[in-house]
Amino acid sequence: MRSSISLGRIGGIPVGLNASVLVIVVILLVGLAFGRFPAVFPGYSPVVYLLAGLATALLFLASLLAHELSHALMAERHGIDVAHITLWLLGGVAELRGEPRSPGADLKIAAVGPLTSLVCGVIFGAIALLVAAADGAPLLAGMFVYLAAVNVILAVFNLIPAAPLDGGRVLRAALWSRWGDRTRAAVTAARAGRAFGYVLIVLGFLQIVTGSGFQGLWLALIGLFLVNAASAEEQQAQLGSALHGVRVGDVMSDRLVIAHPDETVAELVDRVVMRERLSTYPLVEHDMRFLGLVTLNRIRQVPPDARPVTRLRDIACPPGQVPAARPDEALTDLLTRMGGCADGRAVVLDPDGRLIGLLTPSDISRVIQTAGLHAGDPYHAPRGADLTTRHPDRPLDRSGR
């Protein structure tokens, strides 16, 4: 779920809106300004209803952001990096770069979200009481009553024990603590989530055929999302189990075809691209210090007539945006960070920041397909078709020939 509109950083965490969140704003605005508010609080002008609907929609998004931000801050407190927070059509997503290390951490990260929504509900309810006690406008009090009710409902719904809802995470933490097996707990929570999603889809279709078309469609959409997300979580849990104990150094390709940042695109194409079946070219200095990454996709984007004058540094993914790892890092930890402008690639660096290896989608795909076939034998670990592998006592070929 990618952000289309950046809202900056909160607590150092990038926050943004996906374009689909505008659907939520429109639904709330129309439903409140032309439905609920005129019916419950008559006597105001259409402009006032529109302003009240818009303010309510924006405050609801703010409460969603508070929910996701609480997850993110708690995750960082337990040593898990947060890539970004995105608000979208069905709520919000806090993308974590890693997994909790204990059932207790898992429980705290999961439970803090519904607790935050409940606190928001209490705050909005208190504001509504204050407005009513001060003889404020009934419409204003009604706005905060609505926001209080929605946040309480959001907290209760999220506590349903079905992944990927927060209640599913709570269930996972409880089962993990009881069984001592995180994978088994995660798979069970995911299957509960998938079953709950199917129930929502059935209920949605029943509402559609009985005349509640919009509500039924919305319910079915939520159910479909839960089914897909729960299935993905189950696959991720099983993948993490299959790759348990595999280190980045066991999988990385360490015979590298490197290039200099001042080399032109045309020179690289003539020297390597047209001769070798490769798609990834790290840029380094003479001491192998990593300076960027060029992929075949980036080369293709350069017009043919511009290639003789375009330097590789001008099209490279900057080093700060390329996922980096140490050879002894768990492969599953790196997988959560692989993305962005590097086209699914990652570099492996030594403690001094010098390039010693590379991971490509081919490497990852191969190790997933053959996970466990050579457990504990790094020299027989599967390697990607994108790059070749040298024996540890052979010199590094830096020419690519």
Side-chain angles (χ1 to χ4, degrees), residues 196-281:
F196 180 60
Y198 283 128
V199 170
L200 292 184
I201 292 174
V202 171
L203 292 177
F205 277 113
L206 288 177
Q207 285 191 342
I208 292 173
V209 298
T210 56
S212 301
F214 178 78
Q215 294 181 359
L217 182 61
W218 190 251
L219 200 61
L221 180 62
I222 295 175
L224 182 61
F225 165 74
L226 291 178
V227 168
N228 291 333
S231 298
E233 288 210 2
E234 181 177 355
Q235 293 174 358
Q236 182 179 1
Q238 293 172 337
L239 175 62
S241 178
L243 297 181
H244 178 71
V246 178
R247 301 292 171 179
V248 170
D250 300 334
V251 184
M252 71 178 190
S253 301
D254 52 8
R255 184 172 181 178
L256 307 173
V257 177
I258 61 175
H260 193 276
D262 290 331
E263 188 174 2
T264 67
V265 174
E267 289 171 345
L268 180 67
V269 170
D270 292 339
R271 179 171 67 85
V272 177
V273 175
M274 300 304 295
R275 303 185 183 188
E276 304 283 351
R277 297 180 62 185
L278 306 175
S279 64
T280 311
Y281 309 95

Side-chain angles (χ1 to χ4, degrees), residues 53-394:
L54 180 60
T56 304
L58 294 178
L59 286 173
F60 175 67
L61 290 183
S63 62
L64 285 180
L65 178 58
H67 179 112
E68 297 303 329
L69 189 61
S70 67
H71 284 309
L73 295 177
M74 184 63 71
E76 288 194 333
R77 185 175 179 181
H78 286 86
I80 303 174
D81 291 334
V82 181
H84 58 80
I85 294 174
T86 303
L87 300 183
W88 71 297
L89 177 63
L90 296 180
V93 175
E95 182 179 335
L96 308 183
R97 291 174 172 168
E99 295 288 351
R101 300 297 184 181
S102 68
D106 204 8
L107 176 62
K108 292 176 182 178
I109 295 171
V112 71
L115 178 61
T116 300
S117 293
L118 185 60
V119 170
C120 288
V122 172
I123 292 174
F124 286 132
I127 294 175
L129 291 176
L130 290 175
V131 171
D135 293 328
L139 176 58
L140 182 61
M143 289 171 48
F144 290 107
V145 169
Y146 176 85
L147 287 167
V150 168
N151 273 278
V152 171
I153 293 173
L154 182 64
V156 173
F157 179 78
N158 267 285
L159 283 175
I160 294 174
L165 298 175
D166 295 332
R169 308 274 194 264
V170 172
L171 174 63
R172 181 179 68 187
L175 295 178
W176 184 6
S177 178
R178 179 177 179 180
W179 294 337
D181 186 338
R182 187 186 186 282
T183 299
R184 180 184 174 192
V187 169
T188 301
R191 290 176 178 174
R194 188 161 59 241
F196 180 60
Y198 283 128
V199 170
L200 292 184
I201 292 174
V202 171
L203 292 177
F205 277 113
L206 288 177
Q207 285 191 342
I208 292 173
V209 298
T210 56
S212 301
F214 178 78
Q215 294 181 359
L217 182 61
W218 190 251
L219 200 61
L221 180 62
I222 295 175
L224 182 61
F225 165 74
L226 291 178
V227 168
N228 291 333
S231 298
E233 288 210 2
E234 181 177 355
Q235 293 174 358
Q236 182 179 1
Q238 293 172 337
L239 175 62
S241 178
L243 297 181
H244 178 71
V246 178
R247 301 292 171 179
V248 170
D250 300 334
V251 184
M252 71 178 190
S253 301
D254 52 8
R255 184 172 181 178
L256 307 173
V257 177
I258 61 175
H260 193 276
D262 290 331
E263 188 174 2
T264 67
V265 174
E267 289 171 345
L268 180 67
V269 170
D270 292 339
R271 179 171 67 85
V272 177
V273 175
M274 300 304 295
R275 303 185 183 188
E276 304 283 351
R277 297 180 62 185
L278 306 175
S279 64
T280 311
Y281 309 95
L283 305 185
V284 298
E285 291 180 325
H286 64 280
D287 61 351
M288 293 299 289
R289 192 166 303 277
F290 178 62
L291 297 176
L293 193 70
V294 172
T295 63
L296 195 57
N297 288 336
R298 289 177 169 267
I299 292 174
R300 289 196 185 102
Q301 293 174 3
V302 180
D305 57 349
R307 291 172 185 169
V309 295
T310 302
R311 304 290 178 182
L312 294 180
R313 67 167 71 248
D314 297 329
I315 66 169
C317 183
Q321 298 181 30
V322 180
R326 299 283 186 257
D328 59 350
E329 182 178 350
L331 179 60
T332 51
D333 290 343
L334 175 60
L335 291 180
T336 62
R337 307 198 307 270
M338 293 184 69
C341 72
D343 293 337
R345 275 76 172 166
V347 293
V348 186
L349 307 177
D350 69 10
D352 295 323
R354 289 189 291 266
L355 181 70
I356 59 175
L358 185 69
L359 270 81
T360 70
S362 298
D363 296 306
I364 303 303
S365 177
R366 189 73 62 82
V367 75
I368 289 173
Q369 293 173 9
T370 59
L373 293 182
H374 299 287
D377 183 1
Y379 297 118
H380 289 88
R383 307 286 177 147
D386 196 38
L387 295 171
T388 57
T389 305
R390 67 176 177 89
H391 192 274
D393 61 1
R394 294 178 186 171

